[in-house]
Amino acid sequence: MWEFPNFCISLRTEITICQFFISLSMETKRPKILIIYTGGTIGMMENPVTHTLQPFDFSHLMENVPKVQLLDYDIDNIQFSSPIDSSNMNPQHWSEIAKAIEKNYDKYDGFVVLHGTDTMAFTASALSFMLENLSKPVIITGSQLPIGEVRTDGEENLITALQVAAATDAAGNAMIQEVAILFENYLWRGNRSTKMSADNFNAFRSNNYPELAKIGLGILFHEEALYRLPSKRPLKVRYDMDPNVMFIQLNPGMTPEILNHLLHTPNIKGIVLKTYGAGNSPSEPWFTQLINEANERGIVILNVTQCVNGGVKQSLYETGDCLSQAGVVSGHDITSEAAITKLMYLFGLGLPSETVKTYLQSAICGEVTIQN
Ligand code: ASP
């Protein structure tokens, strides 16, 4: 699946204003960064016949970013043999990205994943679970406009992602030790991020977690927000992501027939129930009965609010409490993307439903805030 072009950039930088704000490795050793190109708008070109945007190969992409050569880094790259629009992303692709990171983990200081924006937050969330004990930066970025466009945001995003991946703290350790999304003016925790805009350059946001860094004249890291492992352990990659999960989004007027049909989806193990407000749903007997029956069949149902900001408080209203009574687990302030990939990861570990529910009530890698 991977292509390893014989391509390595090892070039010298000019002084940049960012050096006042970020501490790049000052030792003689240059930062070594691996770019993993999967596709997305950043590398797309217009098909002359259909006029649609299609993924293109990496050499085209790098030719359009000559400024990368000003960075004093050793940069290698690999790419999907056929770069994809991220709407085609699936767990097999996540495994390919994770495998590339695992194989090259000791050789590089950091990783930059170039990815389409449409499912970037899902990939970021999935990788955060799959890459257990990650202590190096995995910075995912892309762009809203192709790199060849005059007004592209791709050049800036790529260069800043490389700088973030190379940044170190005062002790010389990697500043970022988690999966993060770099887009325009912000660095966000990957499993806290959501695509918010289909056309704004600031396309991503963490609605329930502060930014990891603000990108302006310089890169200002918010160190108190950064994830750190409780103790350093070797990277362990979990490749099995169970796809037998899905979203059910509530809407007024949902009928018992529709809900019953969805809850009887073949092989389904986990459901992210997208509820109203603070985690509320209809409290009518037919509704809670169907949910309760699904719970008794061993289906894990995780309550995530449809609101972009705030979280689930299942005991606040009777319409939320009825879900607790029916065995639904609160998703607190987790994003939909992190919720669905967390279910995939936990079922992928082969855990029984009750254990999955227990893990849903704790943060595995900074994806949720549990308030007692
Ligand atoms: N459809 C594109 C993708 O997700 C959109 C983008 O990259 O912005 O691959």
mmCIF file with all atom_site columns, all heavy atoms in Angstrom, residues 37-57 60 82-86 146-147:
data_model
loop_
_atom_site.group_PDB
_atom_site.id
_atom_site.type_symbol
_atom_site.label_atom_id
_atom_site.label_alt_id
_atom_site.label_comp_id
_atom_site.label_asym_id
_atom_site.label_entity_id
_atom_site.label_seq_id
_atom_site.pdbx_PDB_ins_code
_atom_site.Cartn_x
_atom_site.Cartn_y
_atom_site.Cartn_z
_atom_site.occupancy
_atom_site.B_iso_or_equiv
_atom_site.pdbx_formal_charge
_atom_site.auth_seq_id
_atom_site.auth_comp_id
_atom_site.auth_asym_id
_atom_site.auth_atom_id
_atom_site.pdbx_PDB_model_num
ATOM 1   N N   . TYR A 1 37  ? 1.797   10.944 3.610   1.00 0.00 ? 37  TYR A N   1
ATOM 2   C CA  . TYR A 1 37  ? 0.799   11.588 2.749   1.00 0.00 ? 37  TYR A CA  1
ATOM 3   C C   . TYR A 1 37  ? -0.286  10.575 2.379   1.00 0.00 ? 37  TYR A C   1
ATOM 4   O O   . TYR A 1 37  ? -0.016  9.555  1.760   1.00 0.00 ? 37  TYR A O   1
ATOM 5   C CB  . TYR A 1 37  ? 1.495   12.124 1.502   1.00 0.00 ? 37  TYR A CB  1
ATOM 6   C CG  . TYR A 1 37  ? 0.571   12.643 0.423   1.00 0.00 ? 37  TYR A CG  1
ATOM 7   C CD1 . TYR A 1 37  ? -0.382  13.620 0.690   1.00 0.00 ? 37  TYR A CD1 1
ATOM 8   C CD2 . TYR A 1 37  ? 0.651   12.159 -0.881  1.00 0.00 ? 37  TYR A CD2 1
ATOM 9   C CE1 . TYR A 1 37  ? -1.214  14.091 -0.295  1.00 0.00 ? 37  TYR A CE1 1
ATOM 10  C CE2 . TYR A 1 37  ? -0.180  12.629 -1.884  1.00 0.00 ? 37  TYR A CE2 1
ATOM 11  C CZ  . TYR A 1 37  ? -1.122  13.598 -1.586  1.00 0.00 ? 37  TYR A CZ  1
ATOM 12  O OH  . TYR A 1 37  ? -1.953  14.068 -2.559  1.00 0.00 ? 37  TYR A OH  1
ATOM 13  N N   . THR A 1 38  ? -1.513  10.895 2.772   1.00 0.00 ? 38  THR A N   1
ATOM 14  C CA  . THR A 1 38  ? -2.619  9.959  2.501   1.00 0.00 ? 38  THR A CA  1
ATOM 15  C C   . THR A 1 38  ? -3.554  10.465 1.402   1.00 0.00 ? 38  THR A C   1
ATOM 16  O O   . THR A 1 38  ? -4.328  9.706  0.861   1.00 0.00 ? 38  THR A O   1
ATOM 17  C CB  . THR A 1 38  ? -3.465  9.730  3.778   1.00 0.00 ? 38  THR A CB  1
ATOM 18  O OG1 . THR A 1 38  ? -4.180  10.928 4.090   1.00 0.00 ? 38  THR A OG1 1
ATOM 19  C CG2 . THR A 1 38  ? -2.602  9.329  4.967   1.00 0.00 ? 38  THR A CG2 1
ATOM 20  N N   . GLY A 1 39  ? -3.505  11.773 1.117   1.00 0.00 ? 39  GLY A N   1
ATOM 21  C CA  . GLY A 1 39  ? -4.394  12.359 0.106   1.00 0.00 ? 39  GLY A CA  1
ATOM 22  C C   . GLY A 1 39  ? -5.084  13.588 0.655   1.00 0.00 ? 39  GLY A C   1
ATOM 23  O O   . GLY A 1 39  ? -4.527  14.293 1.495   1.00 0.00 ? 39  GLY A O   1
ATOM 24  N N   . GLY A 1 40  ? -6.288  13.857 0.191   1.00 0.00 ? 40  GLY A N   1
ATOM 25  C CA  . GLY A 1 40  ? -7.020  15.042 0.636   1.00 0.00 ? 40  GLY A CA  1
ATOM 26  C C   . GLY A 1 40  ? -6.785  16.225 -0.284  1.00 0.00 ? 40  GLY A C   1
ATOM 27  O O   . GLY A 1 40  ? -5.917  16.196 -1.162  1.00 0.00 ? 40  GLY A O   1
ATOM 28  N N   . THR A 1 41  ? -7.554  17.263 -0.062  1.00 0.00 ? 41  THR A N   1
ATOM 29  C CA  . THR A 1 41  ? -7.503  18.451 -0.925  1.00 0.00 ? 41  THR A CA  1
ATOM 30  C C   . THR A 1 41  ? -6.099  19.017 -1.059  1.00 0.00 ? 41  THR A C   1
ATOM 31  O O   . THR A 1 41  ? -5.719  19.499 -2.129  1.00 0.00 ? 41  THR A O   1
ATOM 32  C CB  . THR A 1 41  ? -8.436  19.548 -0.350  1.00 0.00 ? 41  THR A CB  1
ATOM 33  O OG1 . THR A 1 41  ? -9.769  19.058 -0.414  1.00 0.00 ? 41  THR A OG1 1
ATOM 34  C CG2 . THR A 1 41  ? -8.358  20.832 -1.140  1.00 0.00 ? 41  THR A CG2 1
ATOM 35  N N   . ILE A 1 42  ? -5.316  18.933 0.015   1.00 0.00 ? 42  ILE A N   1
ATOM 36  C CA  . ILE A 1 42  ? -3.981  19.538 -0.025  1.00 0.00 ? 42  ILE A CA  1
ATOM 37  C C   . ILE A 1 42  ? -3.185  19.080 -1.258  1.00 0.00 ? 42  ILE A C   1
ATOM 38  O O   . ILE A 1 42  ? -2.481  19.856 -1.874  1.00 0.00 ? 42  ILE A O   1
ATOM 39  C CB  . ILE A 1 42  ? -3.210  19.285 1.307   1.00 0.00 ? 42  ILE A CB  1
ATOM 40  C CG1 . ILE A 1 42  ? -1.945  20.142 1.356   1.00 0.00 ? 42  ILE A CG1 1
ATOM 41  C CG2 . ILE A 1 42  ? -2.900  17.803 1.528   1.00 0.00 ? 42  ILE A CG2 1
ATOM 42  C CD1 . ILE A 1 42  ? -1.322  20.258 2.740   1.00 0.00 ? 42  ILE A CD1 1
ATOM 43  N N   . GLY A 1 43  ? -3.341  17.822 -1.622  1.00 0.00 ? 43  GLY A N   1
ATOM 44  C CA  . GLY A 1 43  ? -2.566  17.311 -2.758  1.00 0.00 ? 43  GLY A CA  1
ATOM 45  C C   . GLY A 1 43  ? -3.383  17.136 -4.030  1.00 0.00 ? 43  GLY A C   1
ATOM 46  O O   . GLY A 1 43  ? -2.932  16.481 -4.972  1.00 0.00 ? 43  GLY A O   1
ATOM 47  N N   . MET A 1 44  ? -4.575  17.715 -4.054  1.00 0.00 ? 44  MET A N   1
ATOM 48  C CA  . MET A 1 44  ? -5.455  17.459 -5.213  1.00 0.00 ? 44  MET A CA  1
ATOM 49  C C   . MET A 1 44  ? -5.203  18.419 -6.375  1.00 0.00 ? 44  MET A C   1
ATOM 50  O O   . MET A 1 44  ? -4.724  19.535 -6.194  1.00 0.00 ? 44  MET A O   1
ATOM 51  C CB  . MET A 1 44  ? -6.923  17.548 -4.785  1.00 0.00 ? 44  MET A CB  1
ATOM 52  C CG  . MET A 1 44  ? -7.363  16.366 -3.936  1.00 0.00 ? 44  MET A CG  1
ATOM 53  S SD  . MET A 1 44  ? -9.140  16.383 -3.666  1.00 0.00 ? 44  MET A SD  1
ATOM 54  C CE  . MET A 1 44  ? -9.316  15.042 -2.488  1.00 0.00 ? 44  MET A CE  1
ATOM 55  N N   . MET A 1 45  ? -5.584  17.944 -7.562  1.00 0.00 ? 45  MET A N   1
ATOM 56  C CA  . MET A 1 45  ? -5.555  18.783 -8.762  1.00 0.00 ? 45  MET A CA  1
ATOM 57  C C   . MET A 1 45  ? -6.876  18.590 -9.487  1.00 0.00 ? 45  MET A C   1
ATOM 58  O O   . MET A 1 45  ? -7.529  17.556 -9.340  1.00 0.00 ? 45  MET A O   1
ATOM 59  C CB  . MET A 1 45  ? -4.402  18.371 -9.675  1.00 0.00 ? 45  MET A CB  1
ATOM 60  C CG  . MET A 1 45  ? -3.048  18.782 -9.130  1.00 0.00 ? 45  MET A CG  1
ATOM 61  S SD  . MET A 1 45  ? -1.739  18.292 -10.227 1.00 0.00 ? 45  MET A SD  1
ATOM 62  C CE  . MET A 1 45  ? -1.524  19.794 -11.150 1.00 0.00 ? 45  MET A CE  1
ATOM 63  N N   . GLU A 1 46  ? -7.219  19.570 -10.299 1.00 0.00 ? 46  GLU A N   1
ATOM 64  C CA  . GLU A 1 46  ? -8.485  19.484 -11.024 1.00 0.00 ? 46  GLU A CA  1
ATOM 65  C C   . GLU A 1 46  ? -8.353  18.521 -12.200 1.00 0.00 ? 46  GLU A C   1
ATOM 66  O O   . GLU A 1 46  ? -7.402  18.609 -12.985 1.00 0.00 ? 46  GLU A O   1
ATOM 67  C CB  . GLU A 1 46  ? -8.883  20.878 -11.522 1.00 0.00 ? 46  GLU A CB  1
ATOM 68  C CG  . GLU A 1 46  ? -10.295 20.918 -12.060 1.00 0.00 ? 46  GLU A CG  1
ATOM 69  C CD  . GLU A 1 46  ? -10.713 22.329 -12.471 1.00 0.00 ? 46  GLU A CD  1
ATOM 70  O OE1 . GLU A 1 46  ? -10.647 23.248 -11.625 1.00 0.00 ? 46  GLU A OE1 1
ATOM 71  O OE2 . GLU A 1 46  ? -11.087 22.495 -13.647 1.00 0.00 ? 46  GLU A OE2 1
ATOM 72  N N   . ASN A 1 47  ? -9.303  17.592 -12.300 1.00 0.00 ? 47  ASN A N   1
ATOM 73  C CA  . ASN A 1 47  ? -9.359  16.704 -13.457 1.00 0.00 ? 47  ASN A CA  1
ATOM 74  C C   . ASN A 1 47  ? -9.821  17.532 -14.662 1.00 0.00 ? 47  ASN A C   1
ATOM 75  O O   . ASN A 1 47  ? -10.896 18.134 -14.618 1.00 0.00 ? 47  ASN A O   1
ATOM 76  C CB  . ASN A 1 47  ? -10.351 15.559 -13.161 1.00 0.00 ? 47  ASN A CB  1
ATOM 77  C CG  . ASN A 1 47  ? -10.498 14.591 -14.310 1.00 0.00 ? 47  ASN A CG  1
ATOM 78  O OD1 . ASN A 1 47  ? -10.663 14.993 -15.457 1.00 0.00 ? 47  ASN A OD1 1
ATOM 79  N ND2 . ASN A 1 47  ? -10.460 13.299 -13.982 1.00 0.00 ? 47  ASN A ND2 1
ATOM 80  N N   . PRO A 1 48  ? -9.004  17.586 -15.737 1.00 0.00 ? 48  PRO A N   1
ATOM 81  C CA  . PRO A 1 48  ? -9.347  18.471 -16.848 1.00 0.00 ? 48  PRO A CA  1
ATOM 82  C C   . PRO A 1 48  ? -10.646 18.075 -17.558 1.00 0.00 ? 48  PRO A C   1
ATOM 83  O O   . PRO A 1 48  ? -11.290 18.907 -18.189 1.00 0.00 ? 48  PRO A O   1
ATOM 84  C CB  . PRO A 1 48  ? -8.144  18.333 -17.793 1.00 0.00 ? 48  PRO A CB  1
ATOM 85  C CG  . PRO A 1 48  ? -7.377  17.159 -17.321 1.00 0.00 ? 48  PRO A CG  1
ATOM 86  C CD  . PRO A 1 48  ? -7.758  16.871 -15.914 1.00 0.00 ? 48  PRO A CD  1
ATOM 87  N N   . VAL A 1 49  ? -11.050 16.813 -17.416 1.00 0.00 ? 49  VAL A N   1
ATOM 88  C CA  . VAL A 1 49  ? -12.266 16.368 -18.104 1.00 0.00 ? 49  VAL A CA  1
ATOM 89  C C   . VAL A 1 49  ? -13.506 16.611 -17.239 1.00 0.00 ? 49  VAL A C   1
ATOM 90  O O   . VAL A 1 49  ? -14.463 17.262 -17.645 1.00 0.00 ? 49  VAL A O   1
ATOM 91  C CB  . VAL A 1 49  ? -12.151 14.871 -18.490 1.00 0.00 ? 49  VAL A CB  1
ATOM 92  C CG1 . VAL A 1 49  ? -13.402 14.421 -19.242 1.00 0.00 ? 49  VAL A CG1 1
ATOM 93  C CG2 . VAL A 1 49  ? -10.895 14.622 -19.307 1.00 0.00 ? 49  VAL A CG2 1
ATOM 94  N N   . THR A 1 50  ? -13.446 16.098 -15.985 1.00 0.00 ? 50  THR A N   1
ATOM 95  C CA  . THR A 1 50  ? -14.648 16.194 -15.143 1.00 0.00 ? 50  THR A CA  1
ATOM 96  C C   . THR A 1 50  ? -14.693 17.487 -14.322 1.00 0.00 ? 50  THR A C   1
ATOM 97  O O   . THR A 1 50  ? -15.726 17.834 -13.757 1.00 0.00 ? 50  THR A O   1
ATOM 98  C CB  . THR A 1 50  ? -14.711 15.015 -14.155 1.00 0.00 ? 50  THR A CB  1
ATOM 99  O OG1 . THR A 1 50  ? -13.557 15.117 -13.291 1.00 0.00 ? 50  THR A OG1 1
ATOM 100 C CG2 . THR A 1 50  ? -14.691 13.672 -14.866 1.00 0.00 ? 50  THR A CG2 1
ATOM 101 N N   . HIS A 1 51  ? -13.539 18.145 -14.217 1.00 0.00 ? 51  HIS A N   1
ATOM 102 C CA  . HIS A 1 51  ? -13.386 19.374 -13.411 1.00 0.00 ? 51  HIS A CA  1
ATOM 103 C C   . HIS A 1 51  ? -13.590 19.137 -11.922 1.00 0.00 ? 51  HIS A C   1
ATOM 104 O O   . HIS A 1 51  ? -13.789 20.076 -11.163 1.00 0.00 ? 51  HIS A O   1
ATOM 105 C CB  . HIS A 1 51  ? -14.306 20.497 -13.910 1.00 0.00 ? 51  HIS A CB  1
ATOM 106 C CG  . HIS A 1 51  ? -13.989 20.908 -15.317 1.00 0.00 ? 51  HIS A CG  1
ATOM 107 N ND1 . HIS A 1 51  ? -12.811 21.550 -15.661 1.00 0.00 ? 51  HIS A ND1 1
ATOM 108 C CD2 . HIS A 1 51  ? -14.653 20.711 -16.471 1.00 0.00 ? 51  HIS A CD2 1
ATOM 109 C CE1 . HIS A 1 51  ? -12.773 21.745 -16.965 1.00 0.00 ? 51  HIS A CE1 1
ATOM 110 N NE2 . HIS A 1 51  ? -13.882 21.229 -17.492 1.00 0.00 ? 51  HIS A NE2 1
ATOM 111 N N   . THR A 1 52  ? -13.547 17.865 -11.498 1.00 0.00 ? 52  THR A N   1
ATOM 112 C CA  . THR A 1 52  ? -13.602 17.599 -10.053 1.00 0.00 ? 52  THR A CA  1
ATOM 113 C C   . THR A 1 52  ? -12.172 17.531 -9.517  1.00 0.00 ? 52  THR A C   1
ATOM 114 O O   . THR A 1 52  ? -11.232 17.254 -10.272 1.00 0.00 ? 52  THR A O   1
ATOM 115 C CB  . THR A 1 52  ? -14.304 16.252 -9.751  1.00 0.00 ? 52  THR A CB  1
ATOM 116 O OG1 . THR A 1 52  ? -13.629 15.229 -10.484 1.00 0.00 ? 52  THR A OG1 1
ATOM 117 C CG2 . THR A 1 52  ? -15.771 16.284 -10.136 1.00 0.00 ? 52  THR A CG2 1
ATOM 118 N N   . LEU A 1 53  ? -12.043 17.751 -8.197  1.00 0.00 ? 53  LEU A N   1
ATOM 119 C CA  . LEU A 1 53  ? -10.719 17.657 -7.579  1.00 0.00 ? 53  LEU A CA  1
ATOM 120 C C   . LEU A 1 53  ? -10.404 16.200 -7.288  1.00 0.00 ? 53  LEU A C   1
ATOM 121 O O   . LEU A 1 53  ? -11.228 15.472 -6.746  1.00 0.00 ? 53  LEU A O   1
ATOM 122 C CB  . LEU A 1 53  ? -10.687 18.466 -6.276  1.00 0.00 ? 53  LEU A CB  1
ATOM 123 C CG  . LEU A 1 53  ? -10.695 19.989 -6.415  1.00 0.00 ? 53  LEU A CG  1
ATOM 124 C CD1 . LEU A 1 53  ? -10.838 20.644 -5.056  1.00 0.00 ? 53  LEU A CD1 1
ATOM 125 C CD2 . LEU A 1 53  ? -9.428  20.477 -7.112  1.00 0.00 ? 53  LEU A CD2 1
ATOM 126 N N   . GLN A 1 54  ? -9.188  15.777 -7.653  1.00 0.00 ? 54  GLN A N   1
ATOM 127 C CA  . GLN A 1 54  ? -8.771  14.390 -7.423  1.00 0.00 ? 54  GLN A CA  1
ATOM 128 C C   . GLN A 1 54  ? -7.398  14.363 -6.768  1.00 0.00 ? 54  GLN A C   1
ATOM 129 O O   . GLN A 1 54  ? -6.554  15.207 -7.074  1.00 0.00 ? 54  GLN A O   1
ATOM 130 C CB  . GLN A 1 54  ? -8.675  13.643 -8.752  1.00 0.00 ? 54  GLN A CB  1
ATOM 131 C CG  . GLN A 1 54  ? -10.025 13.382 -9.381  1.00 0.00 ? 54  GLN A CG  1
ATOM 132 C CD  . GLN A 1 54  ? -9.903  12.686 -10.721 1.00 0.00 ? 54  GLN A CD  1
ATOM 133 O OE1 . GLN A 1 54  ? -8.824  12.533 -11.260 1.00 0.00 ? 54  GLN A OE1 1
ATOM 134 N NE2 . GLN A 1 54  ? -11.032 12.269 -11.248 1.00 0.00 ? 54  GLN A NE2 1
ATOM 135 N N   . PRO A 1 55  ? -7.158  13.372 -5.882  1.00 0.00 ? 55  PRO A N   1
ATOM 136 C CA  . PRO A 1 55  ? -5.853  13.293 -5.218  1.00 0.00 ? 55  PRO A CA  1
ATOM 137 C C   . PRO A 1 55  ? -4.715  13.089 -6.224  1.00 0.00 ? 55  PRO A C   1
ATOM 138 O O   . PRO A 1 55  ? -4.899  12.405 -7.225  1.00 0.00 ? 55  PRO A O   1
ATOM 139 C CB  . PRO A 1 55  ? -5.987  12.075 -4.300  1.00 0.00 ? 55  PRO A CB  1
ATOM 140 C CG  . PRO A 1 55  ? -7.438  11.795 -4.203  1.00 0.00 ? 55  PRO A CG  1
ATOM 141 C CD  . PRO A 1 55  ? -8.070  12.304 -5.451  1.00 0.00 ? 55  PRO A CD  1
ATOM 142 N N   . PHE A 1 56  ? -3.571  13.679 -5.919  1.00 0.00 ? 56  PHE A N   1
ATOM 143 C CA  . PHE A 1 56  ? -2.414  13.593 -6.803  1.00 0.00 ? 56  PHE A CA  1
ATOM 144 C C   . PHE A 1 56  ? -1.221  13.094 -5.997  1.00 0.00 ? 56  PHE A C   1
ATOM 145 O O   . PHE A 1 56  ? -1.291  12.940 -4.795  1.00 0.00 ? 56  PHE A O   1
ATOM 146 C CB  . PHE A 1 56  ? -2.146  14.981 -7.393  1.00 0.00 ? 56  PHE A CB  1
ATOM 147 C CG  . PHE A 1 56  ? -1.676  14.922 -8.806  1.00 0.00 ? 56  PHE A CG  1
ATOM 148 C CD1 . PHE A 1 56  ? -2.552  14.575 -9.821  1.00 0.00 ? 56  PHE A CD1 1
ATOM 149 C CD2 . PHE A 1 56  ? -0.360  15.214 -9.122  1.00 0.00 ? 56  PHE A CD2 1
ATOM 150 C CE1 . PHE A 1 56  ? -2.118  14.523 -11.138 1.00 0.00 ? 56  PHE A CE1 1
ATOM 151 C CE2 . PHE A 1 56  ? 0.088   15.167 -10.429 1.00 0.00 ? 56  PHE A CE2 1
ATOM 152 C CZ  . PHE A 1 56  ? -0.791  14.814 -11.436 1.00 0.00 ? 56  PHE A CZ  1
ATOM 153 N N   . ASP A 1 57  ? -0.089  12.870 -6.685  1.00 0.00 ? 57  ASP A N   1
ATOM 154 C CA  . ASP A 1 57  ? 1.015   12.270 -5.916  1.00 0.00 ? 57  ASP A CA  1
ATOM 155 C C   . ASP A 1 57  ? 1.873   13.315 -5.195  1.00 0.00 ? 57  ASP A C   1
ATOM 156 O O   . ASP A 1 57  ? 1.762   14.507 -5.407  1.00 0.00 ? 57  ASP A O   1
ATOM 157 C CB  . ASP A 1 57  ? 1.855   11.320 -6.766  1.00 0.00 ? 57  ASP A CB  1
ATOM 158 C CG  . ASP A 1 57  ? 2.696   12.069 -7.756  1.00 0.00 ? 57  ASP A CG  1
ATOM 159 O OD1 . ASP A 1 57  ? 3.373   13.016 -7.357  1.00 0.00 ? 57  ASP A OD1 1
ATOM 160 O OD2 . ASP A 1 57  ? 2.651   11.705 -8.944  1.00 0.00 ? 57  ASP A OD2 1
ATOM 161 N N   . HIS A 1 60  ? 4.290   16.185 -6.742  1.00 0.00 ? 60  HIS A N   1
ATOM 162 C CA  . HIS A 1 60  ? 3.562   17.394 -7.143  1.00 0.00 ? 60  HIS A CA  1
ATOM 163 C C   . HIS A 1 60  ? 3.344   18.289 -5.929  1.00 0.00 ? 60  HIS A C   1
ATOM 164 O O   . HIS A 1 60  ? 3.523   19.505 -5.975  1.00 0.00 ? 60  HIS A O   1
ATOM 165 C CB  . HIS A 1 60  ? 2.220   16.985 -7.772  1.00 0.00 ? 60  HIS A CB  1
ATOM 166 C CG  . HIS A 1 60  ? 1.069   17.861 -7.401  1.00 0.00 ? 60  HIS A CG  1
ATOM 167 N ND1 . HIS A 1 60  ? 0.838   19.074 -7.996  1.00 0.00 ? 60  HIS A ND1 1
ATOM 168 C CD2 . HIS A 1 60  ? 0.097   17.709 -6.465  1.00 0.00 ? 60  HIS A CD2 1
ATOM 169 C CE1 . HIS A 1 60  ? -0.234  19.630 -7.439  1.00 0.00 ? 60  HIS A CE1 1
ATOM 170 N NE2 . HIS A 1 60  ? -0.691  18.825 -6.516  1.00 0.00 ? 60  HIS A NE2 1
ATOM 171 N N   . SER A 1 82  ? -2.087  4.860  -3.645  1.00 0.00 ? 82  SER A N   1
ATOM 172 C CA  . SER A 1 82  ? -3.104  5.668  -4.321  1.00 0.00 ? 82  SER A CA  1
ATOM 173 C C   . SER A 1 82  ? -3.678  6.619  -3.288  1.00 0.00 ? 82  SER A C   1
ATOM 174 O O   . SER A 1 82  ? -4.517  6.220  -2.472  1.00 0.00 ? 82  SER A O   1
ATOM 175 C CB  . SER A 1 82  ? -4.244  4.798  -4.853  1.00 0.00 ? 82  SER A CB  1
ATOM 176 O OG  . SER A 1 82  ? -3.752  3.875  -5.751  1.00 0.00 ? 82  SER A OG  1
ATOM 177 N N   . PRO A 1 83  ? -3.217  7.878  -3.282  1.00 0.00 ? 83  PRO A N   1
ATOM 178 C CA  . PRO A 1 83  ? -3.761  8.831  -2.306  1.00 0.00 ? 83  PRO A CA  1
ATOM 179 C C   . PRO A 1 83  ? -5.275  8.946  -2.452  1.00 0.00 ? 83  PRO A C   1
ATOM 180 O O   . PRO A 1 83  ? -5.809  8.828  -3.561  1.00 0.00 ? 83  PRO A O   1
ATOM 181 C CB  . PRO A 1 83  ? -3.075  10.146 -2.689  1.00 0.00 ? 83  PRO A CB  1
ATOM 182 C CG  . PRO A 1 83  ? -1.856  9.751  -3.450  1.00 0.00 ? 83  PRO A CG  1
ATOM 183 C CD  . PRO A 1 83  ? -2.210  8.486  -4.169  1.00 0.00 ? 83  PRO A CD  1
ATOM 184 N N   . ILE A 1 84  ? -5.945  9.160  -1.328  1.00 0.00 ? 84  ILE A N   1
ATOM 185 C CA  . ILE A 1 84  ? -7.415  9.117  -1.348  1.00 0.00 ? 84  ILE A CA  1
ATOM 186 C C   . ILE A 1 84  ? -8.051  10.422 -0.869  1.00 0.00 ? 84  ILE A C   1
ATOM 187 O O   . ILE A 1 84  ? -7.436  11.196 -0.140  1.00 0.00 ? 84  ILE A O   1
ATOM 188 C CB  . ILE A 1 84  ? -7.968  7.965  -0.469  1.00 0.00 ? 84  ILE A CB  1
ATOM 189 C CG1 . ILE A 1 84  ? -7.508  8.126  0.992   1.00 0.00 ? 84  ILE A CG1 1
ATOM 190 C CG2 . ILE A 1 84  ? -7.553  6.619  -1.022  1.00 0.00 ? 84  ILE A CG2 1
ATOM 191 C CD1 . ILE A 1 84  ? -8.249  7.238  1.959   1.00 0.00 ? 84  ILE A CD1 1
ATOM 192 N N   . ASP A 1 85  ? -9.273  10.624 -1.298  1.00 0.00 ? 85  ASP A N   1
ATOM 193 C CA  . ASP A 1 85  ? -10.148 11.614 -0.678  1.00 0.00 ? 85  ASP A CA  1
ATOM 194 C C   . ASP A 1 85  ? -10.516 11.013 0.675   1.00 0.00 ? 85  ASP A C   1
ATOM 195 O O   . ASP A 1 85  ? -10.878 9.824  0.759   1.00 0.00 ? 85  ASP A O   1
ATOM 196 C CB  . ASP A 1 85  ? -11.403 11.808 -1.550  1.00 0.00 ? 85  ASP A CB  1
ATOM 197 C CG  . ASP A 1 85  ? -12.298 12.915 -1.034  1.00 0.00 ? 85  ASP A CG  1
ATOM 198 O OD1 . ASP A 1 85  ? -12.707 12.855 0.133   1.00 0.00 ? 85  ASP A OD1 1
ATOM 199 O OD2 . ASP A 1 85  ? -12.598 13.830 -1.819  1.00 0.00 ? 85  ASP A OD2 1
ATOM 200 N N   . SER A 1 86  ? -10.441 11.797 1.735   1.00 0.00 ? 86  SER A N   1
ATOM 201 C CA  . SER A 1 86  ? -10.618 11.197 3.066   1.00 0.00 ? 86  SER A CA  1
ATOM 202 C C   . SER A 1 86  ? -12.041 10.713 3.324   1.00 0.00 ? 86  SER A C   1
ATOM 203 O O   . SER A 1 86  ? -12.295 10.034 4.319   1.00 0.00 ? 86  SER A O   1
ATOM 204 C CB  . SER A 1 86  ? -10.174 12.160 4.164   1.00 0.00 ? 86  SER A CB  1
ATOM 205 O OG  . SER A 1 86  ? -11.137 13.139 4.415   1.00 0.00 ? 86  SER A OG  1
ATOM 206 N N   . PRO A 1 146 ? -6.376  23.380 -2.620  1.00 0.00 ? 146 PRO A N   1
ATOM 207 C CA  . PRO A 1 146 ? -5.228  22.578 -3.065  1.00 0.00 ? 146 PRO A CA  1
ATOM 208 C C   . PRO A 1 146 ? -3.926  23.376 -3.028  1.00 0.00 ? 146 PRO A C   1
ATOM 209 O O   . PRO A 1 146 ? -3.935  24.601 -3.188  1.00 0.00 ? 146 PRO A O   1
ATOM 210 C CB  . PRO A 1 146 ? -5.595  22.207 -4.505  1.00 0.00 ? 146 PRO A CB  1
ATOM 211 C CG  . PRO A 1 146 ? -7.079  22.334 -4.583  1.00 0.00 ? 146 PRO A CG  1
ATOM 212 C CD  . PRO A 1 146 ? -7.457  23.408 -3.619  1.00 0.00 ? 146 PRO A CD  1
ATOM 213 N N   . ILE A 1 147 ? -2.834  22.664 -2.837  1.00 0.00 ? 147 ILE A N   1
ATOM 214 C CA  . ILE A 1 147 ? -1.529  23.315 -2.656  1.00 0.00 ? 147 ILE A CA  1
ATOM 215 C C   . ILE A 1 147 ? -1.113  24.124 -3.892  1.00 0.00 ? 147 ILE A C   1
ATOM 216 O O   . ILE A 1 147 ? -0.380  25.093 -3.790  1.00 0.00 ? 147 ILE A O   1
ATOM 217 C CB  . ILE A 1 147 ? -0.463  22.236 -2.299  1.00 0.00 ? 147 ILE A CB  1
ATOM 218 C CG1 . ILE A 1 147 ? 0.728   22.866 -1.600  1.00 0.00 ? 147 ILE A CG1 1
ATOM 219 C CG2 . ILE A 1 147 ? -0.010  21.432 -3.498  1.00 0.00 ? 147 ILE A CG2 1
ATOM 220 C CD1 . ILE A 1 147 ? 0.633   22.866 -0.131  1.00 0.00 ? 147 ILE A CD1 1
#
